[in-house]
C-alpha cells in the first residue's frame, strides 16, 4: 500500500494519531543574510522571529539519532542555512547517519570550499532562490545578490554537483519577467521551479486567530501577520500569459510549479481568496514534521511549539496530546483560514 493512501487512512480513522512522518522540514536557523520583500519573517511586513540559542551540533546529532530508525527525508531550510558557521559539520552528520537530505538556500554564501564539500556529500537536491533577471531579482532580494547566487550555482556545477533547481517565488515585483528564467535555467543546465507564495489578508488573518484562540492556548498575534501581503496586487491576465509561454518553451531539465494550477485556477487563486482553495483539506501534520532551530517540533509553518525534542523522544512528541489535538481540530475545520494559499495543502 502506498504511503499516500496510508496518510489518508490515518487522517480518516486514527483520531489524531499519525504514522512516522516520511519527511521532516528542519529549520536549521532563523537567521538570514537577506531581507527579501515577500518573506514572512524578514520582508516588508515580516514578523522578525525571536532568535534564541540555536541547537548545537551535539544536540542536532541527538535528534538525528532519534529518527534514524525510520529514515525520513530531511529538507534543510532556514532562514539561510549557510549562515551557520558549523553548517558543514551539520551536513556531515546527515551523511554519517545515512539520512537523505536536501538544501534550500539563497545561494549567496556558497563559496569554493562549501561547494566542494556539498558536492562530496551529494545531497538529493539543492534549491537556489532566483526571482528573475538581475535587476528584478535584486529589487526582491537586495543589491549584489544576483551574481553571488549565480556564482554559487556555477561553483556547485564546477565541483561536479548537478541536482540543482532554481526556485522563483512569484510576486507583483517579478510576475512580468518569469519567462526570462527559462533561458537562464537552460544556460546553467538546472531545473526550474515557480512557487506561488502563501498569502492572506487582514480579514482572513483575524478570523484565523479567532479560530485558533477558540481551540488552543497559544497566541498568533506576532506569527501570522507576516503573510498579510499586497504583493499579490498583480495583473492576473499578464501572469497567465507568462505561465502559458513558459509551458510552451523547451526546457532542458525539469519544469515545475508549486502548486501546479491550471490557467483557470490561477485566476481564482489570486482573485477569490474567500471561495477558492486548491485542496479541501490538509494532510501535512500527518505526513511531515517541522523542527525549528531550537529543537522544538512546531505544528506547521509559523506556528508555536508542540513539544521539545531535547526533553522527549521524537516519537513521543510526534504523537503527544498537543499534536493529536491539533490534528483533530484541523480535521474538524478542514482548513484554517490562513491555510487557503499554503503550498503544503
Amino acid at each position: 500500500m502506498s504511503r499516500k493512501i496510508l496518510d489518508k487512512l490515518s487522517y480518516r480513522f486514527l483520531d489524531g494519531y499519525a504514522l512516522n512522518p516520511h519527511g521532516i522540514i528542519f529549520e536549521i536557523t532563523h537567521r538570514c543574510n537577506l531581507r527579501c520583500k515577500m518573506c514572512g519573517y524578514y520582508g516588508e511586513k515580516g514578523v522578525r522571529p525571536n532568535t534564541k540559542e540555536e541547537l548545537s551540533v551535539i544536540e542536532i546529532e541527538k535528534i538525528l539519532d532519534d529518527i534514524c530508525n525510520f529514515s525520513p527525508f530531511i529538507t534543510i531550510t532556514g532562514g539561510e542555512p549557510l549562515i551557520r558557521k558549523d553548517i558543514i559539520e551539520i551536513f556531515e552528520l546527515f551523511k554519517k547517519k545515512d539520512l537523505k537530505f536536501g538544501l534550500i538556500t539563497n545561494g549567496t554564501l556558497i563559496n569554493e570550499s562549501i561547494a566542494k564539500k556539498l558536492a562530496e556529500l551529494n545531497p538529493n537536491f539543492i534549491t537556489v532562490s532566483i526571482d528573475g533577471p538581475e535587476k528584478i531579482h535584486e529589487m526582491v532580494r537586495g543589491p549584489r545578490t544576483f551574481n553571488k547566487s549565480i556564482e554559487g550555482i556555477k561553483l556547485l556545477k564546477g565541483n561536479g554537483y548537478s541536482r540543482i533547481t532554481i526556485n522563483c517565488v512569484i510576486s507583483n515585483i517579478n510576475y512580468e519577467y518569469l519567462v526570462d528564467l527559462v533561458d537562464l535555467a537552460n544556460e546553467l543546465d538546472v531545473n526550474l521551479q515557480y512557487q506561488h507564495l502563501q498569502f492572506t489578508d487582514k480579514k482572513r488573518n483575524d478570523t484565523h486567530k479567532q479560530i485558533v484562540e477558540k481551540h488552543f492556548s497559544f497566541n498568533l498575534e506576532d506569527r501570522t501577520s507576516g503573510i498579510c501581503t499586497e504583493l499579490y496586487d498583480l495583473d492576473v491576465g499578464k501572469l497567465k500569459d507568462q505561465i502559458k509561454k513558459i509551458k510552451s518553451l523547451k526546457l532542458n531539465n525539469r519544469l515545475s510549479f508549486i502548486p501546479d494550477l491550471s490557467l483557470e485556477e490561477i485566476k481564482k487563486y489570486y482573485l477569490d481568496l474567500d471561495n477558492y482553495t486548491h485542496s479541501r483539506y490538509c494532510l501535512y501534520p500527518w505526513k511531515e514534521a517541522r523542527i525549528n532551530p531550537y529543537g522544538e517540533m512546531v505544528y506547521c509553518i509559523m506556528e508555536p511549539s508542540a513539544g521539545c525534542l531535547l526533553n522527549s523522544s521524537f516519537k513521543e512528541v510526534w504523537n503527544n496530546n498537543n499534536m493529536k489535538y491539533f490534528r483533530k481540530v484541523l480535521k474538524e475545520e478542514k482548513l484554517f483560514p490562513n491555510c487557503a494559499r499554503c503550498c503544503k495543502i
Side-chain angles (χ1 to χ4, degrees):
M1 189 179 295
S2 75
R3 181 56 200 256
K4 190 173 183 180
I5 293 172
L6 288 173
D7 289 335
K8 288 183 177 179
L9 290 173
S10 300
Y11 174 88
R12 187 170 180 183
F13 296 113
L14 296 188
D15 196 31
Y17 181 88
L19 304 176
N20 289 331
H22 48 86
I24 293 177
I25 309 295
F26 204 147
E27 300 171 353
I28 212 75
T29 182
H30 279 162
R31 292 177 291 139
C32 190
N33 61 320
L34 302 184
R35 297 293 180 263
C36 306
K37 284 187 167 61
M38 70 295 185
C39 177
Y41 283 152
Y42 295 112
E44 292 180 329
K45 294 191 175 182
V47 297
R48 303 298 195 276
N50 294 323
T51 50
K52 300 178 285 188
E53 185 175 352
E54 296 170 349
L55 291 167
S56 68
V57 174
I58 292 172
E59 288 170 330
I60 291 172
E61 183 167 22
K62 176 186 180 297
I63 292 172
L64 297 185
D65 283 338
D66 203 20
I67 65 177
C68 280
N69 60 340
F70 62 96
S71 299
F73 184 89
I74 300 178
T75 299
I76 301 172
T77 184
E80 168 50 51
L82 299 182
I83 205 169
R84 285 192 61 142
K85 291 185 171 21
D86 54 3
I87 193 62
I88 294 300
E89 195 176 351
I90 293 169
F91 289 150
E92 288 173 335
L93 275 181
F94 285 89
K95 201 69 174 179
K96 173 185 172 184
K97 307 296 180 184
D98 198 27
L99 288 164
K100 293 180 179 179
F101 72 97
L103 169 66
I104 298 175
T105 174
N106 62 46
T108 60
L109 300 179
I110 299 174
N111 55 31
E112 176 65 33
S113 174
I114 289 174
K116 182 177 180 180
K117 193 62 185 179
L118 281 170
E120 290 173 2
L121 294 170
N122 194 28
N124 287 68
F125 69 81
I126 297 177
T127 298
V128 180
S129 301
I130 303 286
D131 289 323
E134 182 174 1
K135 180 179 178 181
I136 302 302
H137 175 86
E138 295 190 353
M139 286 175 64
V140 175
R141 297 189 179 261
R144 299 176 296 283
T145 54
F146 181 82
N147 287 332
K148 288 179 180 177
S149 297
I150 298 301
E151 179 61 20
I153 292 171
K154 290 179 177 178
L155 286 171
L156 290 168
K157 299 280 288 186
N159 279 278
Y161 183 80
S162 61
R163 293 191 278 188
I164 303 168
T165 296
I166 284 176
N167 184 69
C168 172
V169 176
I170 299 170
S171 73
N172 69 348
I173 298 172
N174 67 354
Y175 76 101
E176 295 185 72
Y177 303 89
L178 304 180
V179 73
D180 295 39
L181 290 177
V182 174
D183 284 343
L184 178 63
N186 283 337
E187 177 188 333
L188 294 171
D189 193 26
V190 297
N191 301 320
L192 178 58
Q193 176 176 281
Y194 294 92
Q195 181 177 352
H196 299 279
L197 189 67
Q198 181 178 1
F199 68 100
T200 190
D201 59 20
K202 186 178 186 305
K203 180 183 76 172
R204 291 186 71 83
N205 192 48
D206 288 344
T207 304
H208 181 93
K209 286 188 286 188
Q210 289 170 10
I211 290 173
V212 168
E213 287 167 5
K214 171 186 170 184
H215 292 290
F216 306 102
S217 59
F218 51 77
N219 187 310
L220 293 186
E221 185 65 34
D222 295 322
R223 290 184 175 269
T224 56
S225 58
I227 57 172
C228 289
T229 177
E230 281 80 49
L231 287 173
Y232 290 87
D233 180 18
L234 45 76
D235 186 324
V236 174
K238 289 182 179 179
L239 173 59
K240 289 169 64 176
D241 289 342
Q242 285 280 308
I243 292 176
K244 188 175 180 180
K245 187 172 182 180
I246 288 165
K247 291 185 175 182
S248 73
L249 296 175
K250 177 175 174 52
L251 193 72
N252 295 339
N253 295 285
R254 181 171 52 84
L255 171 68
S256 56
F257 291 83
I258 301 177
D260 190 7
L261 306 170
S262 69
L263 291 178
E264 184 56 35
E265 284 176 315
I266 289 169
K267 180 179 179 180
K268 295 175 183 176
Y269 185 93
Y270 287 98
L271 300 182
D272 194 1
L273 188 57
D274 288 330
N275 300 303
Y276 173 76
T277 60
H278 51 284
S279 177
R280 289 173 293 179
Y281 58 93
C282 176
L283 284 176
Y284 178 70
W286 280 262
K287 63 183 183 178
E288 278 194 295
R290 195 172 191 98
I291 303 172
N292 71 17
Y294 323 114
E296 299 164 331
M297 187 182 295
V298 294
Y299 298 99
C300 64
I301 299 169
M302 302 182 79
E303 301 286 10
S305 167
C308 182
L309 300 173
L310 298 178
N311 303 327
S312 303
S313 73
F314 183 94
K315 289 184 178 181
E316 286 172 341
V317 178
W318 177 241
N319 277 306
N320 68 10
N321 289 336
N322 292 334
M323 285 298 299
K324 286 191 288 187
Y325 182 64
F326 180 81
R327 293 187 189 109
K328 285 192 281 188
V329 172
L330 178 58
K331 181 183 175 184
E332 177 187 325
E333 295 285 345
K334 305 296 185 187
L335 294 171
F336 298 129
N338 281 347
C339 300
R341 294 299 177 265
C342 181
C343 62
K344 294 298 183 181
I345 66 171

